[in-house]
Amino acid sequence: MFSRTHRDHPIDQNIQYLKTVGPKRAAVLKRLGIETVHDLLYYFPRDYEDRSQVKTAFETVHGEKATLIGTVTGVRETKPRPGLVVTKLLLKDGSGFFMGVWFNQPYLKKQFSPGQKVVLTGKIERLTGQVQVYASDFELIEEGEELLQEGRIVPAYPLTEQLSQRLLRRIIKKGLDEWAHRLREFIPPHLVEEYALPVLPAALKEVHFPSSNLKAQKAKERFIWEDFFLFQVALGLRRLKLTRISKPHHYLPHPDILEEFIERLPFTLTAGQNSAWREINRDLDKAGPMYRLLQGDVGSGKTVVSLLFLLKAVGSGLQGALMAPTEILAEQHYLSLRRLLKDSGIEIGFISGGLRKKERLLFLERLRGGQISIIVGTHALIQDDVEFKNLAAVVIDEQHRFGVRQRALLQSKGHYPDVLIMTATPIPRTLALTFYGDLEISTIRELPPGRKPVKTYLSTDMGSVYRFIRRQVDLGRQAYIICPLIEESERFDVQAAVELEKELSSGIFFRDCRVALLHGRLKTNEKERVMKSFYSGDVDVLISTTVIEVGVDVPNASVMVILGAERFGLAQLHQLRGRVGRGSQESYCILASDSQSEDARERLKTLTRIADGFSLAEADLSLRGPGELTGFRQSGLPGFKAADLIRDQRLILQVRREAFKLLETDPELTCRDNMLLREELQARSMLNWGGG
Ligand code: ADP
Ligand code: MG
C-alpha cells in the first residue's frame, strides 16, 4: 500500500534495469513484491546473523557455530558412496590448519584456488583432532572489496524459490551502492534531530548491512518511525481537508419517516444505540461531512442505528447508500431493509454484480434521477458510472474489509456525503487511532437485553456434534456448518464444502433434514436462493464456506459448527459465532478441531471462556501479539514495511502527536523544511487521500 507509484522518479523504475537483475530475476523478485529499486531498498531483513566475530581454528569449540578466515592450501573431492560427493577445502590461518566441508556441491571445487583467502561460517567438528567447518556459507575475500556474506553482521531476508540469501544480498548491495546516496532525507530536520533518527541513505545501508547490532537496531527504528509518520501525516492532511469542506445538503430535524420508524420498532433502543445515534445527529448538523466509526460487538445492533441515519436522509429528501463487503451481505441488508420499510413507500435499490447491462443502465438512470432513495451494494457502489442525485448518507458495513483508500474514493465523487462506518472488530485505542485516525468513534458496549451468551465448546467427536445438530433441528432450530479454511485458494475451500455437503446429505445424521450448500463460487441468483431459503426456514442445515462470516442475521439459527477451527483467527471465529445467539433461545458454537498444537488449543479455549469481543480482542493481543490481530493483515490496512502495530504502540502515539503538530504550523506542507516530505507523500500516493 505504501509502495511508491510515482513513475517519474528514476528510483521507481523497474528493477530489471538494475545491474545484476534483468527480466528473469525481476520476475522472481516480483514474487516478493519487489518491482522497483525503491521496493528493493525497502525490502528489509527479517533477521541478522552475526558473523563479525572471527575466530582462529585453534579457538573454536566442538559443536559451536563459528566464523573463520583462512588461506586456501588445497581442495579435495571424495565420493565415499554413490550419490554422495564430499568437497573438502584445506585452509590455514595463524593458528594452524582447518578444513571446510560441503556435501553434494561439486561445482564448488572450481571456485577455490590455492593462496586465496576465504571466510566461512558453519558448525565446528573437532572429533578427530582436526578442525572441520561444516560450512553453511562462505565468501571469497577480494582485495579492496567489502564483505557481504561473511565476516560481518549479515542480513537474512524472507526468500522465495530461485532466490538465495547470497544472491539477494548481492542485488540489494548493488541497489544500495547505485541508489542510496541519491535519496534525500524527507523527515523534517527538527524531528530527525529530536529523535536522533539516522538519516536516509545511511539508515538504508545500516538496515541491510549493519556495522553493529546497535546501528541495525537504530536503523530499523527509523523506518518504523517513517512508516508511522507518513501514515499519520497523510491522515492528518485528510482530516484537515475534510474540516474545511462544507457539505451541500441539509437535514430536516425530525423527518416523519424517521419518527414513524422509531415508533414502530419492535424493541427499544439500548443506551449504547441511543448515544451513538445522538452523536451521529450532532455530526449531521455540522457544516462539514460526518466521518464516524461505529464500533460494537457482533449482535450489538449497529444496523438499526445505521438505518436511522439513512432514514433521516431519505426523510429530508436526500439519498442514502449502504455498502457491504460481500454480495451476500449486501443482499441480506437489502432484503431486511425492504422488509423493515415495506409500507413506507421508500424505493430501495440493490446494485448487484449480476445485473444485465440494460437493467443496470435503467437502474443507474433511476438513481441519478432520485427515484431510488436508498441503494445497497458492495464496493460496486463506488464505481465510476454510479451517479447520484443528492447522495447525503453513506453507511459502510464491516469496515475492516475496506481500506483507507476506498473510504477516500467515496468522497472523490464530489458529494461529500456524511459517512458512517461500522465495524464489529473491536480494536484497542491506539490501533483505532492508527487506522481510523481520520474518524470520530462511537462505541456500543452492550448487547440488547435478553441475549444469552452463546455456549461455546471445543470438540473432536464429529459424530456427537452431528447428533447434537440433529436434535436442535428436531426442535425446529437451524444450524450452520462452516468448512475449514484452506489457505491457498478459494477453489479448495469450495471443493471441501461440496464434498462435505455430499457426505452429510447422504449420511445418517441428517436423514430427512433439508441440507443446503453455500459458497463463493455459486452464481449470484443461486446464492440468493440458498440464503432466502435459509432465512425463511426452508433449510435446516446450511453448509458454508466463510462467505457468511459477517452480518448474516437469522435469529432462528441456534448452532454454529466450525470445522478445522484452529485455522481461523480468534476474531474471525468470534464473528462466525456471532451468527447465532440472535434470538432468545439458547444457542451453541462448537469449535471442531483435532489440532494437537498447544497454542491452537489455548487459543480456542479462550473463545470458550470469553463471550464479548472487546475482552477477546485484548486476550488475542496478549496471546498472539501483533501480526495476525483480527485479520488486519488480509484486510488491506496499511502495509507498513517495518512497523509492528502492537509492539510499537507507544511510538504510534508519539509520532501521531508530532505529525499533527507539524500540520498545525504548516497545513499545506509548503515550508522549506517540509517540501521533501510533501514530495515523498506524493510519490507514495498518500497526499490526496481525501480525493477531490
Ligand atoms: P450487528 O451489530 O452485529 O450488526 P445487528 O444490527 O445485526 O447486529 O443486530 C442483531 C439483532 O439484534 C437483529 O436481529 C436486530 O433486530 C436485533 N436488535 C437490534 N437492536 C435491538 C434492541 N435494542 N433490542 C432488541 N433487539 C435488537
Ligand atoms: Mg452487522
Side-chain angles (χ1 to χ4, degrees):
M1 176 169 188
F2 290 168
S3 321
R4 295 167 52 119
T5 50
H6 193 61
R7 299 284 160 191
D8 301 342
H9 195 288
I11 197 167
D12 299 318
Q13 68 177 341
N14 195 295
I15 188 78
Q16 65 170 307
Y17 303 114
L18 187 71
K19 271 188 216 126
T20 73
V21 179
K24 245 199 181 136
R25 282 180 180 166
V28 174
L29 290 171
K30 192 169 173 187
R31 275 191 254 139
L32 298 176
I34 302 173
E35 295 189 52
T36 67
V37 177
H38 190 270
D39 294 340
L40 180 76
L41 300 190
Y42 273 76
Y43 193 75
F44 297 140
R46 71 172 147 68
D47 207 355
Y48 301 96
E49 190 180 333
D50 192 347
R51 298 178 183 167
S52 61
Q53 303 305 314
V54 178
K55 286 193 171 180
T56 63
F58 180 75
E59 290 166 328
T60 57
V61 180
H62 176 74
E64 73 170 336
K65 191 172 186 183
T67 300
L68 293 83
I69 294 181
T71 306
V72 178
T73 61
V75 191
R76 261 204 325 252
E77 189 180 88
T78 56
K79 295 179 179 166
R81 55 184 165 78
L84 182 63
V85 183
V86 183
T87 308
K88 292 191 169 177
L89 184 67
L90 282 98
L91 297 140
K92 186 175 78 175
D93 69 11
S95 71
F97 286 90
F98 64 100
M99 204 181 277
V101 184
W102 288 268
F103 299 110
N104 287 339
Q105 299 182 56
Y107 51 87
L108 284 180
K109 199 174 77 175
K110 290 194 214 88
Q111 300 201 5
F112 303 112
S113 49
Q116 217 167 28
K117 274 187 127 177
V118 177
V119 50
L120 64 176
T121 297
K123 195 154 177 212
I124 304 294
E125 195 181 283
R126 302 189 61 143
L127 287 181
T128 54
Q130 202 176 30
V131 178
Q132 304 208 25
V133 186
Y134 287 84
S136 54
D137 218 344
F138 74 95
E139 186 171 20
L140 304 179
I141 300 179
E142 309 282 353
E143 199 65 45
E145 258 184 45
E146 194 184 338
L147 285 173
L148 278 195
Q149 321 278 359
E150 286 292 344
R152 62 172 311 140
I153 299 171
V154 291
Y157 299 96
L159 294 174
T160 177
E161 272 166 54
Q162 296 163 17
L163 187 68
S164 64
Q165 290 292 358
R166 294 178 70 83
L167 178 58
L168 186 54
R169 281 180 205 133
R170 264 181 35 224
I171 296 174
I172 288 180
K173 182 64 169 44
K174 193 84 195 159
L176 283 170
D177 287 347
E178 276 186 35
W179 287 96
H181 64 279
R182 301 193 219 182
L183 289 175
R184 287 195 292 162
E185 182 52 74
F186 53 81
I187 297 176
H190 73 278
L191 292 173
V192 168
E193 193 176 327
E194 183 171 347
Y195 293 95
L197 305 172
V199 293
L200 197 46
L204 277 172
K205 282 182 191 156
E206 289 291 347
V207 85
H208 289 290
F209 296 102
S211 53
S212 72
N213 285 318
L214 185 66
K215 287 260 173 75
Q217 189 54 36
K218 287 267 170 240
K220 255 170 102 174
E221 278 167 19
R222 182 235 125 86
F223 289 107
I224 295 171
W225 220 94
E226 173 184 313
D227 273 349
F228 286 147
F229 186 65
L230 291 173
F231 187 69
Q232 292 297 338
V233 171
L235 280 180
L237 281 170
R238 177 173 158 68
R239 206 182 157 114
L240 275 175
K241 200 168 192 170
L242 290 173
T243 57
R244 281 198 298 261
I245 289 163
S246 61
K247 57 194 180 197
H249 50 268
H250 296 281
Y251 297 87
L252 300 177
H254 301 286
D256 292 344
I257 291 177
L258 177 63
E259 301 289 307
E260 278 161 28
F261 179 78
I262 295 177
E263 232 155 73
R264 286 217 315 261
L265 274 178
F267 44 73
T268 42
L269 297 177
T270 63
Q273 287 172 318
N274 266 318
S275 74
W277 176 228
R278 266 198 308 277
E279 286 164 352
I280 292 168
N281 253 314
R282 223 175 290 141
D283 288 352
L284 298 186
D285 287 338
K286 290 183 185 156
M290 169 172 84
Y291 224 50
R292 184 169 286 279
L293 179 76
L294 176 58
Q295 61 168 345
D297 204 355
V298 190
S300 59
K302 297 182 290 294
T303 314
V304 185
V305 176
S306 71
L307 251 179
L308 300 179
F309 168 44
L310 290 171
L311 287 177
K312 177 135 178 169
V314 174
S316 308
L318 303 162
Q319 286 174 304
L322 173 56
M323 220 154 78
T326 65
E327 182 104 13
I328 286 187
L329 193 50
E331 188 170 337
Q332 158 159 358
H333 275 313
Y334 169 67
L335 293 174
S336 60
L337 280 189
R338 280 249 308 250
R339 206 169 51 233
L340 286 164
L341 303 176
K342 201 164 55 208
D343 305 314
S344 65
I346 298 175
E347 182 86 13
I348 304 165
F350 174 50
I351 185 160
S352 111
L355 281 184
R356 262 167 300 177
K357 207 166 169 200
K358 226 168 123 192
E359 289 172 320
R360 186 181 162 90
L361 285 178
L362 208 72
F363 186 89
L364 293 177
E365 184 64 45
R366 297 202 307 136
L367 191 64
R368 211 169 20 240
Q371 288 97 316
I372 295 177
S373 300
I374 299 179
I375 181 173
V376 184
T378 61
H379 48 271
L381 269 181
I382 47 177
Q383 276 161 14
D384 281 343
D385 61 341
V386 183
E387 285 173 44
F388 296 84
K389 176 165 180 243
N390 52 11
L391 177 65
V394 172
V395 177
I396 305 179
D397 196 14
E398 305 302 346
Q399 155 70 11
H400 61 287
R401 303 285 182 90
F402 290 106
V404 182
R405 251 160 228 271
Q406 279 155 319
R407 299 209 301 263
L409 243 174
L410 256 171
Q411 252 115 17
S412 67
K413 302 217 127 206
H415 292 276
Y416 294 104
D418 294 292
V419 178
L420 181 70
I421 291 163
M422 302 195 287
T423 175
T425 309
I427 48 176
R429 190 181 137 70
T430 37
L431 288 184
L433 283 180
T434 309
F435 294 130
Y436 310 123
D438 52 343
L439 308 181
E440 308 296 326
I441 299 179
S442 296
T443 304
I444 303 179
R445 296 219 167 261
E446 73 272 65
L447 296 182
R451 288 284 168 77
K452 298 197 184 109
V454 179
K455 291 194 168 155
T456 305
Y457 303 97
L458 200 55
S459 175
T460 49
D461 177 1
M462 288 320 295
S464 62
V465 170
Y466 291 142
R467 270 193 298 277
F468 179 75
I469 296 179
R470 178 66 211 226
R471 279 199 300 277
Q472 287 286 308
V473 169
D474 290 341
L475 288 171
R477 311 267 183 270
Q478 291 163 281
Y480 299 94
I481 301 178
I482 306 299
C483 299
L485 186 71
I486 301 170
E487 295 282 343
E488 297 83 46
S489 110
E490 192 198 9
R491 194 163 57 90
F492 294 116
D493 285 352
V494 170
Q495 211 175 342
V498 170
E499 272 159 31
L500 186 70
E501 198 262 344
K502 253 193 229 141
E503 190 187 317
L504 290 184
S505 55
S506 62
I508 47 163
F509 295 114
F510 300 116
R511 191 179 303 151
D512 313 323
C513 287
R514 294 157 302 175
V515 178
L517 174 67
L518 185 72
H519 59 69
R521 291 271 167 118
L522 291 179
K523 295 223 182 62
T524 311
N525 55 358
E526 287 175 74
K527 276 188 227 164
E528 197 172 326
R529 197 175 44 74
V530 173
M531 273 326 284
K532 267 189 196 143
S533 40
F534 194 64
Y535 293 137
S536 60
D538 294 335
V539 163
D540 303 310
V541 180
L542 182 65
I543 297 173
S544 174
T545 57
T546 53
V547 292
I548 62 143
E549 179 184 343
V550 284
V552 173
D553 185 23
V554 179
N556 188 51
S558 64
V559 192
M560 164 64 65
V561 175
I562 304 165
L563 304 178
E566 75 280 359
R567 295 183 181 221
F568 297 87
L570 273 191
Q572 204 178 2
L573 290 170
H574 182 62
Q575 280 289 328
L576 286 166
R577 172 168 68 178
R579 298 309 113 219
V580 295
R582 303 190 145 240
S584 51
Q585 78 274 12
E586 196 73 73
S587 55
Y588 309 87
C589 173
I590 302 170
L591 308 169
S593 166
D594 44 22
S595 166
Q596 300 298 316
S597 143
E598 214 29 65
D599 279 0
R601 301 200 72 77
E602 192 51 43
R603 230 158 36 79
L604 295 178
K605 274 193 204 139
T606 319
L607 212 65
T608 63
R609 272 198 329 265
I610 301 180
D612 100 281
F614 284 91
S615 317
L616 201 60
E618 269 154 37
D620 200 8
L621 253 174
S622 59
L623 261 178
R624 289 205 297 172
E628 288 312 311
L629 183 87
T630 59
F632 273 110
R633 276 283 145 83
Q634 80 239 24
S635 61
L637 286 164
F640 291 122
K641 303 271 188 204
D644 181 315
L645 293 169
I646 310 300
R647 187 194 58 206
D648 306 321
Q649 284 196 50
R650 271 216 346 248
L651 195 61
I652 299 179
L653 292 177
Q654 182 190 72
V655 173
R656 181 179 165 85
R657 259 196 318 275
E658 293 295 355
F660 280 51
K661 210 157 82 190
L662 185 88
L663 289 174
E664 254 167 51
T665 53
D666 184 15
E668 304 277 341
L669 297 182
T670 45
C671 293
R672 235 185 71 203
D673 278 356
N674 301 331
M675 296 286 265
L676 288 171
L677 174 60
R678 197 187 157 80
E679 262 175 43
E680 187 67 23
L681 286 165
Q682 175 93 52
R684 298 192 192 206
S685 311
M686 292 171 82
L687 200 52
N688 270 312
W689 277 359

